[in-house]
Amino acid sequence: MGFPTPSDVCLNLSPLVSFVDCSEGKVWLEVGDSSDFRVSEDGVVYTLRHLSLAAKEKALLVVYARDLQSKQASHLQPTKLQMSVKSRVPEILFPWHSVVVRGDGTLRRVKRDWVIPPINVPENSRGQFPEDLVRIRSDRDKNRMLRYSVTGPGADQPPTGIFIINPISGQLSVTKPLDREHISNFHLRAHAVDLNGNQVENPIDIVINVIDQNDNRPEFTHTIFNGSVPEGSKPGSFVMTVTAVDKDDPKTANGMLRYKILSQNPQSPSSNMFTINNKTGDIITVAAGLDREKVTQYTLIIQATDMEGNPTYGLSNTATTVIRITDVNDNPPEFTTDTFFGEVHENRVNVIVANLTVTDKDQPHTQAWSAVYRIIAGDPTGRFSIPTDPTTNEGLLTVVKPIDFELTRSFMLTVEAENEVTLARGIHLPRQSTATVSIRILDINESPEFSPNPKSIKLEEGLPAGSLLTTFTAQDPDRFMRQTVRYSKMYDPANWLEIDPVNGRISTIAILDRESPYVKNNLYNVTFMASDNGIPPASGTGTLQMYLMDINDNAPHVFPPEVEMCEKPDPNAINITASDPDLTPNAGPFAFELASRPSDVRRNWTLNRVNGEYAQLRLRISSLASGIYEIPIMITDSGNLPMSNTSYLRVKVCQCDHHGDCVDMERIIAAGLGTGAIIAILICIIILLVLVLLFVMWMKRRDKERQAKQLLIDPEDDVRDNILKYDEEGGGEEDQDYDLSQLQQPDALEPECVKVGIRRLDERPLHHDHQYPLRSAAPHPGDIGDFIHEGLKAADNDPTAPPYDSLLVFDYEGSGSTAGSLSSLHSSSSCGDQDYDYLGDWGPRFRKLADLYGGGDD
C-alpha cells in the first residue's frame, strides 16, 4: 500500500476484520464513508487532498472487498485501517494477514502485499545526523521481540553506512548529506526476524529518492565558441549554436536553462546584430549590414541561467562567442589609374611591358580578391597576354609574339579586370574595372634575312672549280636605315664553294663529289652569313641545299674483298658481287671476268655470271694447298660510258672441320672470342710477362747487391775468388767453400823462394807455427811503420803462408791471422826471375795477377 502523505504522518495499519473467500474471482475494493481517500483495484490507497493529522492522534479508514463473481453481492467484508500520529516520523508496517471465508464455509488466511511509497530525501541536508527518515515495524512485535535490518547499496553494500536502522525500534536513519548528482536513488530491503533469527515477515522493498536542489551552476561546453557567417547575410540567417549543461535534474527547474546575449562588441552598425534562442542556444542574425571590410568579427558574451532563467533564484554562467565575418565577392577590382604606359623593343618576346595595378577590398589571397585580366580591344593578332602576379595581384602585360617596328609602331589596348569568382548578387563591375594601356614599339637593328631560307638547287656532281652555281642574297628588314649587307661563308665542311661578299654569287672552288662522306642522301648543305654595318652590327644566316645528281665516276670493286675456302671444298663455289658507290643506272648490272694473267688463275679457277649482280667463282681442281690466293677479277658497270676495274679477291684456303669451317687457331680465336675478350687476354699476357721480367731483374739486382756487400774491391781487380769482409771477427779462407788445391804449397819448399808452378795438397804443411811480431797494448804512434815492416818480413819467411798475396788484419787480438799475406806484391825477398804467365790460363781473375807479377814495366 502506498500513498503520498506529509513527512510528519505515520500510517499505522492493522487488520481488524476478515474477508469472505474471494480468491476464485475478481475482488472490487472500495473505501467506506470517507472523502479523503480512494483505493485502486490492486489495493493501493491514495489520498484525495492534502491531509493534516496533527490535531488527531488517529484516523480510521474502512475498506470493503466485494466478490464481483459471487451471486451474493451483499457479502461485504470491511477492513479498518488505523492511522496514527507518532513523533512526526512516518511508520511502515509489514503487510498483514486477513481471514476470508471459502465457499464451503471454511476459513483461509490470505496475505496481501502493500505497495510502499518511495521516501523522498532532499540532497545537501544540513540537519543533525543521523536524521530519522521512517520507522519500520511489524504487528507481530506485540507478542514477541523482533529484530529489524536493512540491506542493499547504501546500507551493507557500497557505499556502505549511509543508511542505518535501529534493530529494536526499526527506526531508519540517514547518516550524512546526500548528493543527487552522485546517486539519485537507493533501493533497500527491510527485514524482520525473531531473536532466533527466524524470518517473521517477508522482506519489503524501500525506495529512497534523493530530491534535487539547485546546487550546480550551468557549465558551457567551451569557454570560447567560434562561428562564422558570410558578410551581407540577411536577417534570420543561422550563425552557430552554443551549448551549456547543468548537473541538476533536467526534469526540474533546477536543470532547465535559458540563454541570452549580454553584450556585443563592436556595436556596429547596430548593437543588436544577433539574437539567441533562449532554449536551444541557436544564434541568428537579426539585422542587415554585415560587412567584412568594415567589421571582420564580433565578440558576444552569452549567459546561461537555470531555474528557467529566473534571475532571482537561478544560477548563471557566461561564455564568449567569436563570430567571424567571412568574405564574399562584393568588391570588384578597380584599376589604380585610367591609363597605363609601356614600351618594348621590336622582335622581343616574353618581355613584361607594363605592370597593371588594381585594388580590391576583399580578403587578400582569396578567389574574391585575385584578379583576372583580359584584353578586350586593341590586340586582334594576340601579341600580348596578361598573367597575374599571385603575390601582388598585379597584371603583367607581356609580349608573347614578336612585333615588327616597320609594320606597327604602337598599340592602344583596352583591358578589363575581374575576380576568379563571380561577383555577389546585385554587384556589378564599375567603370574603374576597365583601363587603357598605351604601348610604344622601339626600333632595333635587325638581322638581314635570306629568302628563301633554305634555298635548294639541283646539279650534277663533277662540276669543275670556278663554276657559277647561283646567287643567294639577303634583305635588310630595317627599311628606315640605310645599311650595306656583306656575305661570307660560315659552314662548308668539304670546302667546295665560295660566295661573293658584295653580290652573293656562289661558285665552286673544288670538284663536287656526290660520293663524299659529307653528302647525306644526295644533299650537301652550306651555311652563309649576311652582316650589315649597323650599330651594333647584326647578322643572319642562310642555308644552301645542293641536291647532287649522280654521274658514272666510280669503277666497281669486288665484294666481299676476302673469302675463305677449304682445301678440298665441297661445294667448291663462292658467290661474289660488286660494290659501286654510284647509283643506278651507273652501277649494276655488272660484267665479271677473270683476268688473263697470271696464267694459273684461269687454270685453277672459273668465274660464271649468276645474274647482273652476282657471279660464282669455282675451283677447277679438286684440292688446293692451304694459303692465301689473290685472284684478279675485272668488273664493268652499266653506266653511260661504262667504267671497268680489276680488283683482287683474296681467297684464304684452310683446313676445315666436318662442318666445312676453317679450324686454324686464328679463326677459332676470332670465332670463339669477341674483340674485347681477345684484347683482355693479350693485356693479361703482357702484364704477366712484365711481372716475370721485373722479378728476374729484381733477382739479378739482389744478387749484385749481395756480391757488392761481399766484395771490397772491383771484380776486375780481384785476383782471387774469396775477398773477405773484415767488418766482422773470425772467418777467413778456411770458412769459404773454395778448392784451394791449386794454391797448396808442396811439402818440400825451397828455402829462399816458393815455386808457384808446383801444385800442393789441400792441407797445411807440417811445420811449426811461425812467430809473428806482437804489438804492445799502447804503442807509440811512431812504432806503427816499423810494426808493419816486421810483419811483412815475417810473412815472407813463413813457409806455411800461401804463395799469393793476402791482406793481413793488423789488430791487437794476439797472434797474427792464419789467412796468409799479400807480401808477394812487394817482398824484400822476391823472386823476380819466376814466370807467372801461366796464371793467365786460370781465368780473368788470375790474369790481373799475372800482369802484376810478370808484366814487366807495365
Side-chain angles (χ1 to χ4, degrees):
M1 175 182 293
F3 48 85
T5 60
S7 60
D8 59 342
V9 176
C10 174
L11 296 181
N12 187 359
L13 307 177
S14 59
L16 300 177
V17 295
S18 62
F19 292 93
V20 177
D21 184 12
C22 56
S23 61
E24 296 180 358
K26 187 175 182 180
V27 177
W28 177 67
L29 302 176
E30 64 178 357
V31 179
D33 298 335
S34 175
S35 59
D36 297 329
F37 303 93
R38 69 177 180 87
V39 62
S40 64
E41 294 181 358
D42 54 359
V44 180
V45 178
Y46 298 92
T47 59
L48 298 179
R49 61 184 180 85
H50 183 75
L51 298 180
S52 179
L53 303 178
K56 298 181 180 181
E57 184 177 359
K58 293 182 179 180
L60 296 179
L61 176 64
V62 180
V63 179
Y64 295 92
R66 181 196 298 258
D67 186 1
L68 296 179
Q69 297 181 356
S70 176
K71 297 180 180 179
Q72 300 177 358
S74 60
H75 288 176
L76 296 176
Q77 298 295 331
T79 299
K80 292 184 178 180
L81 303 180
Q82 183 178 2
M83 298 183 295
S84 60
V85 179
K86 294 184 179 179
S87 304
R88 302 177 62 85
V89 176
E91 186 177 88
I92 297 177
L93 289 177
F94 282 89
W96 44 266
H97 299 269
S98 61
V99 180
V100 298
V101 181
R102 300 178 185 271
D104 55 1
T106 60
L107 300 177
R108 182 174 69 86
R109 293 182 61 85
V110 178
K111 182 175 182 179
R112 298 188 61 86
D113 291 336
W114 302 109
V115 178
I116 307 301
I119 301 173
N120 298 324
V121 180
E123 67 172 333
N124 303 322
S125 174
R126 297 184 180 181
Q128 295 182 352
F129 295 98
E131 180 180 353
D132 296 338
L133 299 179
V134 69
R135 182 185 178 194
I136 301 173
R137 59 177 294 272
S138 173
D139 59 353
R140 297 187 180 184
D141 60 354
K142 298 178 180 179
N143 301 325
R144 48 185 168 174
M145 294 292 294
L146 300 181
R147 293 291 183 267
Y148 300 97
S149 62
V150 290
T151 59
D156 62 341
Q157 298 178 17
T160 60
I162 296 179
F163 300 98
I164 59 175
I165 189 171
N166 190 316
I168 303 300
S169 64
Q171 183 67 49
L172 180 64
S173 304
V174 61
T175 60
K176 60 181 180 180
L178 303 180
D179 186 2
R180 189 204 68 83
E181 287 71 37
H182 184 222
I183 301 177
S184 60
N185 54 65
F186 296 88
H187 294 268
L188 305 178
R189 303 201 80 184
H191 305 270
V193 296
D194 57 16
L195 297 180
N196 295 325
N198 299 320
Q199 180 176 312
V200 177
E201 300 284 359
N202 290 331
I204 60 174
D205 294 328
I206 300 175
V207 178
I208 300 175
N209 291 330
V210 182
I211 304 302
D212 183 43
Q213 302 290 329
N214 190 18
D215 58 343
N216 290 279
R217 290 181 178 275
E219 297 289 342
F220 283 93
T221 56
H222 298 87
T223 304
I224 298 177
F225 292 86
N226 293 288
S228 62
V229 61
E231 62 176 331
S233 297
K234 296 180 179 180
S237 301
F238 174 79
V239 180
M240 60 184 302
T241 300
V242 296
T243 305
V245 295
D246 195 319
K247 296 180 181 179
D248 292 327
D249 191 355
K251 298 180 181 179
T252 65
N254 298 334
M256 295 181 181
L257 307 181
R258 296 296 182 266
Y259 302 93
K260 73 174 182 178
I261 298 175
L262 295 182
S263 65
Q264 169 191 308
N265 184 38
Q267 297 181 0
S268 174
S270 171
S271 60
N272 296 315
M273 297 297 294
F274 305 92
T275 187
I276 188 170
N277 188 311
N278 64 346
K279 292 183 179 180
T280 62
D282 293 341
I283 299 177
I284 59 176
T285 60
V286 293
L290 292 175
D291 190 352
R292 190 204 65 84
E293 287 72 38
K294 295 180 179 179
V295 180
T296 59
Q297 70 178 26
Y298 291 87
T299 302
L300 307 181
I301 304 300
I302 309 298
Q303 183 186 60
T305 306
D306 58 16
M307 297 301 291
E308 298 181 289
N310 189 314
T312 304
Y313 303 104
L315 301 177
S316 301
N317 210 339
T318 60
T320 301
T321 300
V322 178
I323 300 175
R324 184 172 55 89
I325 309 302
T326 59
D327 187 38
V328 297
N329 192 16
D330 57 345
N331 293 279
E334 298 180 358
F335 284 101
T336 57
T337 182
D338 294 336
T339 305
F340 294 89
F341 298 93
E343 60 183 20
V344 63
H345 289 90
E346 63 174 333
N347 300 326
R348 298 289 181 85
V349 294
N350 298 325
V351 177
I352 297 176
V353 179
N355 289 25
L356 311 182
T357 57
V358 295
T359 58
D360 195 318
K361 297 179 181 179
D362 292 320
Q363 184 175 358
H365 305 290
T366 62
Q367 290 184 330
W369 175 81
S370 298
V372 178
Y373 300 88
R374 293 187 304 111
I375 300 175
I376 59 178
D379 185 24
T381 57
R383 298 183 181 275
F384 300 92
S385 69
I386 311 178
T388 303
D389 188 332
T391 303
T392 63
N393 208 26
E394 293 181 350
L396 308 178
L397 181 60
T398 307
V399 181
V400 294
K401 293 181 180 180
I403 302 173
D404 190 355
F405 172 82
E406 285 70 28
L407 298 178
T408 305
R409 298 189 180 186
S410 64
F411 287 87
M412 188 65 68
L413 307 180
T414 302
V415 297
E416 183 182 66
E418 297 178 339
N419 291 122
E420 292 183 359
V421 295
T422 58
L423 291 171
R425 182 177 300 178
I427 307 298
H428 302 283
L429 281 175
R431 181 186 61 81
Q432 291 80 4
S433 295
T434 303
T436 302
V437 183
S438 177
I439 303 174
R440 186 166 63 95
I441 308 303
L442 304 178
D443 189 21
I444 62 173
N445 184 22
E446 300 177 76
S447 301
E449 298 177 354
F450 286 91
S451 180
N453 189 13
K455 182 177 183 178
S456 299
I457 60 175
K458 189 174 184 181
L459 64 159
E460 288 186 349
E461 65 172 329
L463 288 179
S467 301
L468 179 63
L469 301 183
T470 184
T471 300
F472 196 19
T473 59
Q475 290 75 37
D476 193 342
D478 296 317
R479 293 177 297 173
F480 304 100
M481 300 181 183
R482 294 184 178 180
Q483 300 179 143
T484 302
V485 178
R486 292 292 181 266
Y487 302 96
S488 61
K489 186 173 64 174
M490 187 173 181
Y491 177 74
D492 183 9
N495 197 24
W496 286 345
L497 306 180
E498 66 178 359
I499 187 171
D500 190 289
V502 177
N503 54 30
R505 292 180 180 179
I506 300 175
S507 58
T508 62
I509 58 176
I511 298 177
L512 305 183
D513 186 8
R514 190 199 64 83
E515 290 75 31
S516 171
Y518 301 106
V519 177
K520 306 297 181 182
N521 298 324
N522 300 329
L523 290 177
Y524 181 72
N525 296 327
V526 183
T527 303
F528 298 96
M529 182 172 64
S531 304
D532 60 21
N533 57 351
I535 301 176
S539 61
T541 61
T543 301
L544 177 65
Q545 287 186 342
M546 295 189 303
Y547 184 86
L548 299 179
M549 296 180 293
D550 186 42
I551 63 173
N552 192 16
D553 58 345
N554 291 278
H557 297 270
V558 67
F559 185 85
E562 182 176 336
V563 296
E564 291 182 352
M565 177 178 288
C566 298
E567 292 180 342
K568 297 180 179 181
D570 185 19
N572 61 353
I574 299 174
N575 291 332
I576 61 173
T577 185
S579 173
D580 194 333
D582 293 328
L583 301 177
T584 304
N586 296 320
F590 301 99
F592 299 89
E593 183 182 0
L594 285 176
S596 59
R597 294 186 180 277
S599 59
D600 59 344
V601 172
R602 294 193 176 187
R603 186 173 59 252
N604 297 333
W605 307 90
T606 61
L607 185 63
N608 300 322
R609 184 174 183 273
V610 177
N611 52 37
E613 300 293 335
Y614 290 93
Q616 195 172 68
L617 181 67
R618 290 180 175 273
L619 188 64
R620 286 180 178 272
I621 58 180
S622 60
S623 63
L624 196 65
S626 298
I628 297 177
Y629 300 85
E630 292 185 353
I631 303 174
I633 299 176
M634 186 173 63
I635 306 175
T636 304
D637 60 22
S638 300
N640 189 7
L641 299 178
M643 296 192 68
S644 299
N645 179 48
T646 300
S647 57
Y648 289 86
L649 175 65
R650 185 183 178 91
V651 180
K652 181 179 180 181
V653 179
C654 58
Q655 297 180 359
C656 298
D657 56 13
H658 62 282
H659 296 293
D661 299 327
C662 288
V663 295
D664 57 291
M665 186 58 63
E666 180 181 354
R667 180 175 179 84
I668 291 176
I669 294 177
L673 296 176
T675 304
I678 296 175
I679 293 175
I681 293 175
L682 293 177
I683 292 175
C684 293
I685 294 174
I686 293 173
I687 293 175
L688 183 60
L689 292 176
V690 170
L691 292 177
V692 172
L693 182 60
L694 292 176
F695 179 75
V696 172
M697 293 175 63
W698 177 79
M699 291 294 295
K700 289 184 176 181
R701 182 176 180 180
R702 191 180 67 170
D703 292 341
K704 289 182 179 180
E705 291 179 352
R706 186 177 300 171
Q707 293 176 5
K709 290 181 180 180
Q710 295 176 355
L711 298 178
L712 295 179
I713 60 175
D714 192 354
E716 294 295 334
D717 299 330
D718 191 10
V719 296
R720 58 187 181 89
D721 206 18
N722 58 344
I723 299 299
L724 303 179
K725 289 175 58 179
Y726 290 98
D727 55 351
E728 58 186 17
E729 298 180 359
E733 292 181 349
E734 295 179 356
D735 296 334
Q736 305 300 320
D737 187 13
Y738 293 104
D739 183 11
L740 302 179
S741 61
Q742 298 296 329
L743 303 177
Q744 185 66 45
Q745 291 183 358
D747 293 338
L749 295 177
E750 296 181 7
E752 297 181 356
C753 60
V754 180
K755 188 175 182 181
V756 181
I758 300 176
R759 297 178 59 87
R760 60 183 182 181
L761 297 177
D762 191 12
E763 60 182 6
R764 290 176 62 85
L766 298 178
H767 294 282
H768 62 275
D769 292 337
H770 192 74
Q771 296 296 324
Y772 286 88
L774 298 178
R775 190 181 181 189
S776 60
H780 189 273
D783 298 337
I784 294 180
D786 298 336
F787 177 76
I788 294 175
H789 288 292
E790 292 177 1
L792 178 60
K793 185 176 181 180
D796 290 339
N797 298 323
D798 185 4
T800 61
Y804 50 85
D805 295 335
S806 176
L807 294 177
L808 295 180
V809 178
F810 298 98
D811 51 22
Y812 302 100
E813 296 182 359
S815 62
S817 171
T818 61
S821 116
L822 296 178
S823 58
S824 60
L825 293 177
H826 182 21
S827 177
S828 59
S829 60
S830 61
C831 300
D833 55 350
Q834 296 188 25
D835 185 8
Y836 297 100
D837 294 338
Y838 68 92
L839 294 177
D841 299 334
W842 291 4
R845 297 179 181 273
F846 292 93
R847 188 176 297 114
K848 184 65 176 176
L849 186 62
D851 293 340
L852 292 176
Y853 277 78
D857 296 338
D858 294 336

